[in-house]
């Protein structure tokens, strides 16, 4: 027992290096290294989150989280396998080992956390359920949807949210339920329903992708809170920590001013101890978790910091033009904050 205590204290002592490989490799990281790729569960096609571009390359917030994790773990953002999942099969796919990480606009809820054999890692987006209507419908507020036909996707949080909201507001509606988002979107666009409900960021992306965005209105109402977080299987703390701190590192990088373009320069010239630790020049962040010292540098070089990812897919550099709001840094009034990475 005394030897164990002395060893633990030695690891905490300043200047003591932890050699890579001294940390036992968990089952998920072992399988990934043997496979040579990380398997990710994403949507079947969701604008701004995970959808192929004109070249067939998957783009979006979720897709970039996957690339960051692959770069951190295997040194390359290309060493990954996409698994396109629906709302119904996403959790079984994670539980069965078909995917190593589920990042599919999935809301962190108590019952999912408690009953599905998974762990949510870190929130990477804060959203709320909203409604799309046609601009010529005359509807400007959700309360006007009394008696409306509303499309939504099954096996999501939206059905229960809608039921709770309608009961509270005394509103009646006719549900039209679909297996995936493409079906629900097409039904709304073909006038099979009066409104399409989903999380507001996804609705904003759908609206921006239509030929005539001005013909569709995103109502200002939000009837729920929807914190998104990538999830992993329970029982592998090492993999849980790896994914969680990749996400936190992207947030920390934005706070420290580290970008995709300047990461190498910051590594070489920044006098900031926090920058030097995050990028791996000092400290043992990588070896402490079974990876090399460049793991977070590789993640940032692959996709940029959190703000760059947001702006590219949802913000000022995207067709969606969605303000940061709650998803801004804590220093600017948002909720995005990382614990001290040291």
């Amino acid at each position: 027992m005394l030897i164990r205590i002395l060893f633990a204290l030695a690891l905490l002592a300043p200047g003591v290096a932890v050699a890579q490989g001294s940390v036992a490799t968990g089952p998920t990281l072992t399988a990934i290294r043997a496979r040579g790729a990380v398997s990710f569960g994403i949507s079947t096609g969701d604008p701004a989150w995970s959808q192929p571009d004109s070249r067939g390359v998957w783009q979006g917030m979720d897709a970039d989280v996957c690339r960051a994790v692959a770069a951190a773990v295997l040194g390359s953002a290309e060493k990954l396998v996409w698994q396109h999942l629906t709302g119904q099969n996403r959790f079984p796919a994670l539980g069965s080992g078909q995917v190593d990480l589920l990042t599919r606009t999935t809301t962190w809820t108590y019952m999912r956390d408690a009953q599905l054999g998974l762990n949510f890692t870190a929130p990477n987006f804060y959203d709320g359920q909203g409604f799309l209507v046609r601009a010529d419908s005359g509807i400007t507020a959700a309360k006007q949807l009394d008696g409306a036909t509303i499309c939504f996707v099954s096996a999501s949080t939206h059905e229960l949210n809608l039921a709770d909201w309608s009961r509270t507001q005394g509103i009646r509606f006719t549900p039209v339920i679909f297996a995936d988002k493409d079906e629900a979107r097409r039904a709304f666009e073909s006038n099979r329903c009066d409104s399409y409900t989903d999380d507001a960021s996804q609705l904003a992306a759908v609206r921006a992708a239509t030929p005539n965005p001005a013909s569709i209105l995103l109502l200002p109402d939000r009837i729920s809170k929807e914190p998104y977080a990538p999830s992993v299987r329970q029982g592998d703390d090492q993999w849980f920590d790896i994914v969680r701190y990749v996400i936190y590192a992207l947030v920390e990088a934005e706070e420290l001013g580290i970008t995709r373009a300047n990461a190498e320069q910051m590594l070489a010239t920044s006098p900031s101890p926090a920058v030097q630790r995050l990028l791996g020049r000092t400290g043992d962040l990588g070896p402490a978790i079974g990876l090399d010292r460049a793991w977070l540098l590789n993640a940032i070089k692959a996709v940029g910091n959190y703000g760059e990812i947001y702006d590219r897919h949802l913000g000022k550099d995207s067709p969606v033009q969605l303000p940061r709001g709650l998803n801004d840094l804590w220093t600017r009034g948002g909720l995005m904050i990382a614990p001290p990475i040291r």
Side-chain angles (χ1 to χ4, degrees):
M1 178 61 73
L2 179 59
I3 293 174
R4 290 180 181 176
I5 293 172
L6 292 173
F7 178 72
L9 290 173
L11 290 180
L12 296 175
V16 175
V18 182
Q20 185 181 3
S22 64
V23 175
T25 303
T28 307
L29 187 57
T30 298
I32 288 169
R33 284 174 171 163
R35 189 191 310 132
V38 190
S39 179
F40 296 100
I42 59 173
S43 76
T44 54
D46 199 350
W49 290 94
S50 53
Q51 182 162 283
D53 61 18
S54 59
R55 299 169 298 153
V57 179
W58 283 77
Q59 303 290 349
M61 293 280 289
D62 282 342
D64 274 353
V65 168
C66 296
R67 291 187 175 96
V69 172
V73 173
L74 295 175
S76 170
E78 304 301 318
K79 293 183 178 181
L80 46 74
V81 177
W82 303 116
Q83 301 282 350
H84 309 134
L85 305 176
T86 66
Q88 292 94 331
N89 67 14
R90 55 182 162 169
F91 298 122
L94 179 62
S96 68
Q98 179 183 339
V99 299
D100 304 309
L101 174 64
L102 177 64
T103 173
R104 189 193 174 281
T105 56
T106 299
T107 301
W108 185 346
T109 72
Y110 169 80
M111 292 304 287
R112 287 173 173 177
D113 211 341
Q115 293 190 330
L116 296 182
L118 55 80
N119 283 325
F120 289 94
T121 54
N124 68 328
F125 193 82
Y126 294 94
D127 211 341
Q129 186 172 338
F131 300 90
L132 282 184
V133 297
R134 281 171 285 280
D136 61 5
S137 67
I139 298 172
T140 58
K143 286 186 176 181
Q144 294 173 271
L145 291 170
D146 191 24
T149 300
I150 302 178
C151 290
F152 56 89
V153 178
S154 63
S156 69
T157 56
H158 306 130
E159 186 169 6
L160 181 57
N161 292 339
L162 199 56
D164 287 351
W165 170 77
S166 64
R167 253 195 314 270
T168 302
Q169 299 295 326
I171 288 174
R172 296 172 296 105
F173 69 94
T174 300
V176 183
I177 308 173
F178 296 92
D180 65 49
K181 295 176 181 182
D182 281 341
E183 288 181 319
R185 174 184 52 78
R186 287 194 296 267
F188 172 68
E189 291 173 350
S190 63
N191 295 326
R192 289 180 58 189
C193 47
D194 302 307
S195 176
Y196 174 30
T197 187
D198 202 328
D199 295 337
S201 68
Q202 297 176 55
L203 296 178
V206 166
R207 179 182 180 275
T210 60
N212 183 15
S215 68
I216 299 175
L217 177 65
L218 175 58
L219 297 180
D221 307 79
R222 301 292 180 268
I223 66 170
S224 71
K225 52 187 176 183
E226 306 289 332
Y228 294 172
S231 55
V232 298
R233 284 181 299 281
Q234 288 180 357
D236 189 339
D237 288 349
Q238 180 192 47
W239 182 238
F240 172 82
D241 284 341
I242 288 171
V243 175
R244 179 170 58 167
Y245 277 96
V246 168
I247 295 168
Y248 282 143
L250 299 177
V251 175
E252 181 87 343
E254 182 181 8
E255 185 176 342
L256 294 173
I258 306 169
T259 68
R260 191 179 194 174
N262 73 13
E264 289 280 8
Q265 180 183 1
M266 294 281 279
L267 174 67
T269 63
S270 174
S272 166
V275 169
Q276 294 300 311
R277 277 194 301 271
L278 191 74
L279 299 181
R281 182 173 293 279
T282 62
D284 292 294
L285 299 181
I289 208 168
L291 301 176
D292 63 29
R293 287 179 170 79
W295 69 303
L296 297 178
L297 172 64
N298 290 337
I300 296 163
K301 286 169 57 180
V303 296
N305 64 43
Y306 180 81
E308 290 180 278
I309 298 169
Y310 186 100
D311 286 344
R312 188 160 57 242
H313 301 299
L314 285 170
K316 63 183 180 64
D317 299 327
S318 78
V320 184
Q321 295 289 302
L322 192 69
R324 289 281 294 267
L326 295 177
N327 296 293
D328 212 339
L329 292 178
W330 67 283
T331 53
R332 298 195 291 257
L335 297 179
M336 300 308 297
I337 185 171
I341 301 180
R342 59 184 305 161

